[in-house]
Amino acid sequence: MTGAAILAPSLLALGAAFCFALALILTQYGLRTVPSWRSPIYTIGSSMVAAWVGALLFVDWQGFDWGAALTFAGVGCIFPVVVSILSVRSNELLGPAVAGAAGNVTPLFAVLFAVLLLGERIGLGQVAGLVLVVAGVALMALRGGAGGRQWPIWVLALPLAAALIRGAIQPAIKTALAIWHEPLAAAAIGYSLSTVVILSLVGRRALAAGPPDRAGLLWFVAVGMSNGTATFLLYAALGLGSITVVAPLVAVFPLIAVVLSYFLLRDERLHAIGLLGIVTSVAGVILLLVGT
């Protein structure tokens, strides 16, 4: 690819990374007054509304393709709804820095699915990257916060499961966008199915619990806007560039989350070993995807 061809998806991927990191920080504010089980209703619902407004205004529906639309819908049954549930819960238990750091192994899963499903080969440099990713997650498991790890190791399964889903959907989305290149439509259709899923899971419980705290509701609407923007930017980047270019750039969102946490969350601090784990795992992700 030429430098110009790489620049556009790279900028889109970095924008997605910033929005994913910002959503982690905003979630901490919302969780102060709204329980974690209820938050995905507002984050996913607000993202769906914003995506459909954009899609109705800017999508060329004359090029509609049923195959691509069904792929977007299938992805929407698990992403972002399941990822939102896992991310909010892991954010609540781990804090945004560690939750984001553990989630940065998404490109690892994306590469593994590419190898298994698309027959791509993995080089020696990528194997070395895999080792660094595992080492980074292990460091985060040892020391998670300013006072050391204060949560059971099994909690890491939550952001890791979210990372697995994020990695699995990227090849599917890229394949569908090659047929119908409309990232906004992909986001709108996907968020619609995710809204149906989350309402079927907790909609009745939310109605029985009464209206939410207004401030918390607004925070989670902001989270939804941030996540929705990140998802659109990710899809747009995947539509223009390769997964090996996009995924490692999106994977820097934990480092952005650490910086934002330092300035916006006074009580959120990351121990030096935890920070080393973040740097190690991000370096491993990048080496994994660019190594040959």
Side-chain angles (χ1 to χ4, degrees), residues 28 32 96 145-147 261-270:
Q28 286 292 308
R32 294 173 181 175
S261 295
Y262 181 81
F263 288 105
L264 300 178
L265 299 175
R266 295 182 179 180
D267 295 332
E268 178 70 19
R269 294 292 183 269
L270 188 68

Side-chain angles (χ1 to χ4, degrees), residues 200-256:
S200 66
L201 292 175
V202 298
R204 181 175 297 180
R205 182 182 177 187
L207 287 175
D213 175 81
R214 183 177 179 182
L217 171 62
L218 292 176
W219 279 118
F220 279 115
V221 168
V223 171
M225 294 296 101
S226 186
N227 274 331
T229 301
T231 300
F232 164 68
L233 292 174
L234 171 62
Y235 288 0
L238 288 172
L240 294 176
S242 66
I243 293 177
T244 57
V245 172
V246 173
L249 293 176
V250 176
V252 305
F253 81 89
L255 295 181
I256 299 175

Side-chain angles (χ1 to χ4, degrees), residues 32-267:
R32 294 173 181 175
T33 55
V34 174
S36 59
W37 65 266
R38 193 168 188 167
S39 62
I41 297 177
Y42 314 121
T43 59
I44 295 173
S46 58
S47 296
M48 180 194 70
V49 172
W52 273 110
V53 169
L56 292 175
L57 290 175
F58 300 110
V59 168
D60 179 13
W61 292 98
Q62 292 183 348
F64 179 85
D65 182 89
W66 274 107
L70 289 175
T71 299
F72 299 148
V75 168
C77 291
I78 58 171
F79 179 84
V81 58
V82 177
V83 171
S84 295
I85 295 171
L86 293 171
S87 296
V88 171
R89 186 58 176 156
S90 60
N91 200 340
E92 184 179 35
L93 296 174
L94 301 172
V98 177
N104 84 342
V105 299
T106 292
L108 164 63
F109 293 119
V111 168
L112 290 178
F113 278 109
V115 171
L116 293 174
L117 301 178
L118 304 179
E120 296 185 7
R121 295 183 178 181
I122 184 169
L124 182 60
Q126 292 172 306
V127 173
L130 173 60
V131 173
L132 287 177
V133 168
V134 174
V137 173
L139 286 170
M140 289 181 290
L142 290 174
R143 302 286 285 187
R149 178 172 61 83
Q150 299 177 356
W151 32 264
I153 290 181
W154 71 263
V155 177
L156 281 176
L158 299 176
L160 290 177
L164 172 63
I165 294 172
R166 286 194 186 101
I169 63 96
Q170 289 190 29
I173 289 295
K174 183 168 180 60
T175 300
L177 286 174
I179 301 172
W180 185 32
H181 186 70
E182 290 291 355
L184 267 174
I189 294 172
Y191 271 109
S192 296
L193 269 295
S194 283
T195 300
V196 172
V197 172
I198 193 60
L199 287 177
S200 66
L201 292 175
V202 298
R204 181 175 297 180
R205 182 182 177 187
L207 287 175
D213 175 81
R214 183 177 179 182
L217 171 62
L218 292 176
W219 279 118
F220 279 115
V221 168
V223 171
M225 294 296 101
S226 186
N227 274 331
T229 301
T231 300
F232 164 68
L233 292 174
L234 171 62
Y235 288 0
L238 288 172
L240 294 176
S242 66
I243 293 177
T244 57
V245 172
V246 173
L249 293 176
V250 176
V252 305
F253 81 89
L255 295 181
I256 299 175
V258 169
V259 175
L260 292 177
S261 295
Y262 181 81
F263 288 105
L264 300 178
L265 299 175
R266 295 182 179 180
D267 295 332

